Amino acid sequence: MANSAQARKRARQSVKQRAHNASLRTAFRTAVKKVLKAVETGDKAAAQAVYADSVKIIDRIADKGVYHKNKAARHKSRLSAKVKALA
């Protein structure tokens, strides 16, 4: 247990920040899943629209440092390839 006032405050802040980061990680995964679902339907126009929205979310979360920028780039690249592969 934290013994100083500073340590107690940091413990409180870390709990709050952890919850916030968890919600951002969930948003990241949801954005990826939305694109994959749109690709499965086979509608290229819809998949491109969902992909564009997802890229904004993925970039915003990577900028905050929740995920590394290279991980975000890797996901965007793979999703883009799947969208482009639609006929």
Side-chain angles (χ1 to χ4, degrees):
M1 185 62 198
N3 289 322
S4 66
Q6 177 184 8
R8 284 192 294 273
K9 181 176 179 180
R10 288 303 301 165
R12 285 194 310 271
Q13 289 176 327
S14 66
V15 168
K16 188 174 182 181
Q17 190 61 46
R18 182 172 178 268
H20 184 254
N21 286 342
S23 70
L24 293 176
R25 281 191 297 272
T26 302
F28 183 99
R29 287 191 291 262
T30 303
V32 170
K33 287 178 189 175
K34 281 182 182 177
V35 176
L36 294 176
K37 190 172 183 180
V39 168
E40 285 178 11
T41 62
D43 185 6
K44 188 167 185 172
Q48 286 174 330
V50 173
Y51 173 75
D53 292 336
S54 294
V55 165
K56 293 175 189 173
I57 294 169
I58 291 169
D59 283 337
R60 186 169 57 239
I61 292 170
D63 286 343
K64 293 179 185 216
V66 177
Y67 281 119
H68 195 275
K69 61 186 175 72
N70 290 357
K71 179 180 174 77
R74 182 174 67 244
H75 279 278
K76 290 190 304 184
S77 175
R78 290 178 183 171
L79 291 174
S80 175
K82 289 182 182 191
V83 171
K84 287 182 181 177
L86 291 173

